[in-house]
Amino acid sequence: MKLVDFLPDFLNDIIAIEEQSFLHPWKEKMFLDSAANELVSFKVIVENEKVAGYCLFWILEGQAEILNIAVSPDFRRRSFAKQMLQYIIECSKEKDTECVFLDVRAGNSAAISLYESFGFEKTGIRKKYYTGISGKEDALILRKKLK
């Protein structure tokens, strides 16, 4: 397993993972725009020459925000998300940030459990932020203090 910088060769695999992971997946342009943004760190986790997952985050004004993180269904429950999350936290500490935060679908118990295991705490709710199968769903704002 290795964490590498995004390359355009990874894009088709990333889009496939995104579509398998989210009800409203990012489109190709969103990934390409993020890759072109010098503020965004776009990492891909590779296992046996296959894209296992990816993460995007940025650090602005002393805070790190996780923009997107996903693992292929074929590679779930093998600590890939933990590895990416640990990387984001370490990078954030190196940049002397105060905290790391993200939005997560309130019903995504697996992701919430992962973030809580890293010390993230709920700091707010965005009411009806996500559109889901059963209508609108809240987003939880989770934050991990680093200082």
Side-chain angles (χ1 to χ4, degrees):
M1 166 178 55
K2 45 184 186 172
L3 196 60
V4 299
D5 290 327
F6 167 82
L7 295 172
D9 291 348
F10 298 141
L11 190 58
N12 289 337
D13 292 332
I14 289 169
I15 290 170
I17 294 168
E18 180 79 2
E19 289 174 348
Q20 293 171 324
S21 301
F22 302 105
L23 289 173
H24 297 283
W26 283 23
K27 303 299 181 200
E28 179 178 315
K29 182 174 179 358
M30 295 172 78
F31 285 109
L32 292 174
D33 288 349
S34 295
N37 185 335
E38 63 186 35
L39 296 175
V40 175
S41 293
F42 190 167
K43 297 294 185 179
V44 178
I45 198 158
V46 178
E47 174 77 359
N48 297 325
E49 300 182 28
K50 293 186 179 182
V51 174
Y54 53 89
C55 62
L56 296 94
F57 67 100
W58 59 7
I59 298 172
L60 296 170
E61 299 185 18
Q63 297 184 48
E65 179 181 9
I66 299 173
L67 304 171
N68 196 336
I69 186 168
V71 175
S72 167
D74 296 337
F75 292 93
R76 291 185 184 154
R77 301 211 176 281
R78 293 178 46 199
S79 298
F80 291 101
K82 288 180 182 179
Q83 294 291 330
M84 290 187 289
L85 191 53
Q86 186 62 46
Y87 174 81
I88 293 167
I89 291 168
E90 288 173 10
C91 286
S92 300
K93 286 179 178 178
E94 288 173 9
K95 301 283 185 177
D96 200 32
T97 61
E98 294 176 18
C99 67
V100 179
F101 73 96
L102 63 116
D103 293 339
V104 62
R105 186 180 301 273
N108 190 343
S109 58
I112 293 166
S113 177
L114 170 68
Y115 296 126
E116 288 176 342
S117 75
F118 275 81
F120 282 77
E121 297 176 339
K122 185 175 99 173
T123 60
I125 297 176
R126 296 185 200 279
K127 292 286 187 187
K128 300 180 180 180
Y129 185 75
Y130 292 107
T131 302
I133 294 170
S134 60
K136 296 285 188 171
E137 187 175 354
D138 296 344
L140 302 181
I141 303 167
L142 302 182
R143 182 177 70 162
K144 175 181 177 63
K145 291 182 183 179
L146 300 178
K147 289 184 175 184

